[in-house]
Amino acid sequence: MLERQRIGLALLGIAAAVATLPAGAQATYDEPWRPQFHFSQPENFMNDPNGLVYYKGEYHLFYQYRCYESSCPAVGVSWGHAVSRDLLHWEHLPVAIPALGVEQVYSGSAVFDAWNTSGCGTVDDPPLVAVYTNAYTDPAVGAFGVQVQSIAASMDGRTLARYQYNPVLIEPRPDFRDPKVFWHAPSRRWIMAVAKPYDARVGLYSSPDLKSWTHQSDFGPLGATGTYPIRIWEVPDLFPLAVDGDPLDRRWVMVVSAIGQYHELGMGTVVGGGTQAFVGDFDGTRFVAEDRAEYATPSADWLDWGKDNYAGITFDNVPDGRRVFIGWVNNWEYAQQVPTSPWQGQQSVPRELTLRMIDGVARLVARPIAELAGLREGPVHSSGGGRVEGTRRLDVLGREFDIEAEFALGGAAQFGLRVLVGEGERTAIGYDVASGRVFIDRTQSGTAGTALSAFAGVHSAPLPARGGKVRLRILVDRSVVEVFANDGERVLTDLVYPGSESQGLELFALDGDVRLQSLNVWRMRSVWGGAPAQIPASPADTPPLPIACDAASAPVPPADGGSKSQPRVLGQGGAIDRRTLLAMLLALALAPGLRWTRKRAESRP
């Protein structure tokens, strides 16, 4: 998360801008611009997603929750909390890790400690362990530095108790935050990726128990490091993925959020932040990015090329092994001034990340999770096979859509769709043939947005028209527009603030025609059910007492025995040949401890 005082914004200055509910009031979830199928908190200010983890049958979404009124569940920067069984419908829970005086609770992650390595749970009932940054608002209080790493644990997925001997990781520097932790099976230890923001570096640390950490290496600076002094790397994530689903070709991906001044990217000048991705190899000690031209320049390989996706991370312990990502839909340039009330901030739809070989290079692609299609109604419009020239208004109105379109290039210089169309208002999603770029144009997306500093603009990403065709999937959710081009090869996310009457949908082609191969439009159901909501009060007047985390741990299995805390990944240190794979599978099948290993796996929540 952003230490704003270092770029001219006071850390606590956000207090004056936070939208709050009157005492006893509830959010209706039908306020102007309230997203209907994106997660948002009932009230106050939310930024980074934190602690994404699957634990005991539920997906947990913790998040940076800021509230500064005396009536707040916790005053300051805390971890908010929501749970879901399908990644779509969320139940709001009390604040999970509240701020305590000068001790603010900044971003971090959470893991399922399957073998109770931390000692915070039991062998038979392993804990959820959150790893987060403690930030001290008064540097004089932080005897170990302004920002340090701490842990908290939960046995029920609801109440988190701080570790008695926090902090667990200290560095002699004031900017040190956003730990992302995962279990690395080959080395049988935990790995933490943590940001060293003003160096544009990610520190990698290892631990056998989540409590004692050893520095292994640093990654960076590389790619988008920005222009000092507005140059920050934050919220790293590190994980393996198979290229095109091939278990014999595994690569590692380092995701880093970056704030700085980046020019000539097609994104405009980015100050408020974007998310970049590096593909490479991790051997348990060091991450090395592949030798690619775009990594050697500020023109990073952005995970999202829009203006409004930042600080995203992925879930730990997803049952089916998918790599699911959620990012904060906002931008620090105007996040405190957005016109929504009584809340500010929302998260992206969950996205499945995969590696796809594109033009001979393994690229990170993102698509909405398959579950999202379950919210569709219709289609309310289907067409295709004809030519479009000029503007064609469609016979459908609405503010919540899932749209799939495919175009074949013709003579048009630009083509695409316009959504949320009204009197003098529209948001265009299209393709510019000459530049070969997909774009979102929000220069006419409503006066409430364009009045914000640095808001109006056109944001674009390079995209080849493969086979002379361009495919677009567009999610429209009142104030959020997400675009997935060519099956997630490029992704853009932008906020928009049109009037409530701006509900039109139209096709366009400029300076020529384009063939519309297919178009399907679905209306999207709300996940909120229309019931008023608020963040529940904590069942206790004070946070739970700190815990010692000194219980016995289970024997950690060998590397080829897998781990409940992460789906087992073959060849995490690089590709392995088929003979080795067969030998490993045979050895596992004949292993005398197979029954014990299976019993542990079957006990997984």
Side-chain angles (χ1 to χ4, degrees):
M1 57 161 294
L2 176 59
E3 188 184 58
R4 288 182 306 280
Q5 71 269 36
R6 294 288 296 274
I7 62 171
L9 297 173
L11 176 63
L12 299 180
I14 193 173
V18 169
T20 57
L21 279 171
Q26 293 183 315
T28 67
Y29 272 83
D30 194 32
E31 300 93 350
W33 304 302
R34 171 78 79 168
Q36 296 300 293
F37 57 92
H38 289 73
F39 177 81
S40 62
Q41 78 290 3
E43 77 279 340
N44 301 313
F45 189 98
M46 173 179 68
N47 49 293
D48 309 3
N50 295 156
L52 305 184
V53 65
Y54 183 83
Y55 180 69
K56 293 189 174 181
E58 296 176 314
Y59 294 94
H60 291 257
L61 167 58
F62 300 94
Y63 56 88
Q64 289 286 276
Y65 178 69
R66 296 166 179 269
C67 191
Y68 297 95
E69 302 293 329
S70 59
S71 59
C72 293
V75 179
V77 184
S78 305
W79 270 29
H81 191 194
V83 293
S84 172
R85 294 191 179 274
D86 63 1
L87 288 168
L88 300 175
H89 299 83
W90 295 93
E91 174 189 354
H92 299 293
L93 296 178
V95 167
I97 311 178
L100 295 178
V102 297
E103 180 185 307
Q104 306 296 294
V105 184
Y106 278 14
S107 287
S109 55
V111 295
F112 173 37
D113 183 11
W115 312 102
N116 195 37
T117 63
S118 63
C120 295
T122 68
V123 171
D124 294 327
D125 191 9
L128 178 159
V129 178
V131 187
Y132 60 95
T133 297
N134 272 143
Y136 298 97
T137 55
D138 181 356
V141 177
F144 307 112
V146 174
Q147 295 178 356
V148 297
Q149 315 316 312
S150 298
I151 65 173
S154 174
M155 300 299 296
D156 60 3
R158 296 296 188 272
T159 303
L160 279 90
R162 287 169 160 90
Y163 176 47
Q164 182 176 349
Y165 303 107
N166 278 333
V168 297
L169 179 58
I170 304 161
E171 285 276 2
R173 55 183 305 130
D175 57 328
F176 184 51
R177 56 182 178 268
D178 311 334
K180 183 62 163 71
V181 173
F182 64 93
W183 177 259
H184 185 250
S187 60
R188 302 170 65 185
R189 60 186 181 179
W190 298 99
I191 300 296
M192 177 196 294
V194 61
K196 299 179 178 180
Y198 288 90
D199 293 344
R201 294 182 184 274
V202 174
L204 296 175
Y205 298 78
S206 66
S207 172
D209 58 9
L210 294 168
K211 296 178 293 188
S212 57
W213 293 91
T214 301
H215 180 255
Q216 297 297 323
S217 63
D218 282 358
F219 169 71
L222 193 65
T225 58
T227 303
Y228 192 83
I230 309 178
R231 180 188 72 191
I232 303 174
W233 271 18
E234 297 185 300
V235 198
D237 199 350
L238 179 61
F239 50 85
L241 285 174
V243 179
D244 293 326
D246 182 359
L248 304 180
D249 187 3
R250 296 268 177 171
R251 315 284 176 93
W252 282 80
V253 180
M254 175 77 78
V255 171
V256 183
S257 289
I259 295 176
Q261 296 180 355
Y262 313 117
H263 302 273
E264 300 175 359
L265 302 183
M267 302 171 67
T269 299
V270 178
V271 176
T275 304
Q276 58 187 330
F278 303 94
V279 178
D281 183 61
F282 176 64
D283 63 3
T285 298
R286 184 178 303 276
F287 174 79
V288 179
E290 294 181 354
D291 186 10
R292 299 186 185 181
E294 66 259 34
Y295 295 166
T297 70
S299 298
D301 193 3
W302 297 99
L303 178 58
D304 192 302
W305 291 72
K307 186 81 169 181
D308 297 306
N309 191 288
Y310 189 72
I313 56 173
T314 63
F315 278 85
D316 178 75
N317 196 43
V318 175
D320 57 11
R322 288 181 298 174
R323 183 59 55 177
V324 178
F325 169 96
I326 290 178
W328 177 49
V329 179
N330 216 326
N331 189 295
W332 280 120
E333 285 191 270
Y334 42 74
Q336 300 169 56
Q337 286 80 44
V338 294
T340 57
S341 180
W343 88 103
Q344 291 173 317
Q346 49 278 309
Q347 306 296 343
S348 71
V349 296
R351 303 171 180 180
E352 181 178 2
L353 303 184
T354 58
L355 280 178
R356 185 190 306 163
M357 194 63 71
I358 299 175
D359 299 329
V361 178
R363 298 283 186 188
L364 187 64
V365 301
R367 291 178 292 183
I369 58 170
E371 292 91 329
L372 191 69
L375 299 178
R376 289 172 169 175
E377 292 181 345
V380 295
H381 178 93
S382 292
S383 58
R387 293 194 172 275
V388 178
E389 187 169 6
T391 299
R392 181 194 299 178
R393 190 71 176 261
L394 302 180
D395 57 349
V396 60
L397 297 174
R399 294 184 292 165
E400 304 93 22
F401 290 124
D402 187 349
I403 303 169
E404 292 185 353
E406 183 175 39
F407 299 90
L409 270 59
Q414 282 189 0
F415 58 84
L417 295 103
R418 300 187 184 109
V419 301
L420 302 171
V421 178
E423 186 66 32
E425 295 182 345
R426 64 189 188 186
T427 299
I429 300 98
Y431 187 75
D432 183 83
V433 176
S435 63
R437 301 181 75 91
V438 61
F439 65 84
I440 299 178
D441 180 347
R442 66 177 184 187
T443 57
Q444 300 180 65
S445 294
T447 56
T450 55
L452 298 175
S453 174
F455 188 88
V458 179
H459 311 121
S460 68
L463 182 78
R466 303 191 181 280
K469 297 180 180 179
V470 173
R471 294 184 302 280
L472 300 175
R473 184 172 180 187
I474 305 168
L475 302 178
V476 181
D477 194 5
R478 296 198 181 183
S479 60
V480 180
V481 175
E482 294 182 88
V483 178
F484 303 83
N486 284 359
D487 299 318
E489 181 179 348
R490 296 299 187 197
V491 182
L492 301 93
T493 304
D494 269 7
L495 288 168
V496 295
Y497 296 107
S500 60
E501 70 285 353
S502 295
Q503 300 187 28
L505 179 63
E506 59 190 30
L507 293 158
F508 72 92
L510 305 180
D511 301 326
D513 64 358
V514 66
R515 174 170 284 278
L516 179 66
Q517 298 290 98
S518 64
L519 173 64
N520 290 289
V521 181
W522 293 270
R523 204 176 301 280
M524 297 293 280
R525 293 193 300 272
S526 175
V527 300
W528 299 112
Q534 62 183 163
I535 293 178
S538 174
D541 293 334
T542 59
L545 294 175
I547 55 175
C549 292
D550 55 4
S553 62
V556 177
D560 64 356
S563 165
K564 289 196 302 181
S565 68
Q566 287 287 353
R568 181 167 177 264
V569 177
L570 296 173
Q572 281 191 317
I576 58 176
D577 59 45
R578 295 182 186 276
R579 181 176 298 177
T580 303
L581 174 62
L582 291 173
M584 291 172 64
L585 293 175
L586 180 61
L588 180 61
L590 298 177
L594 178 61
R595 181 175 300 176
W596 179 83
T597 303
R598 278 181 174 165
K599 184 178 179 181
R600 294 287 302 176
E602 289 167 358
S603 67
R604 179 179 185 168

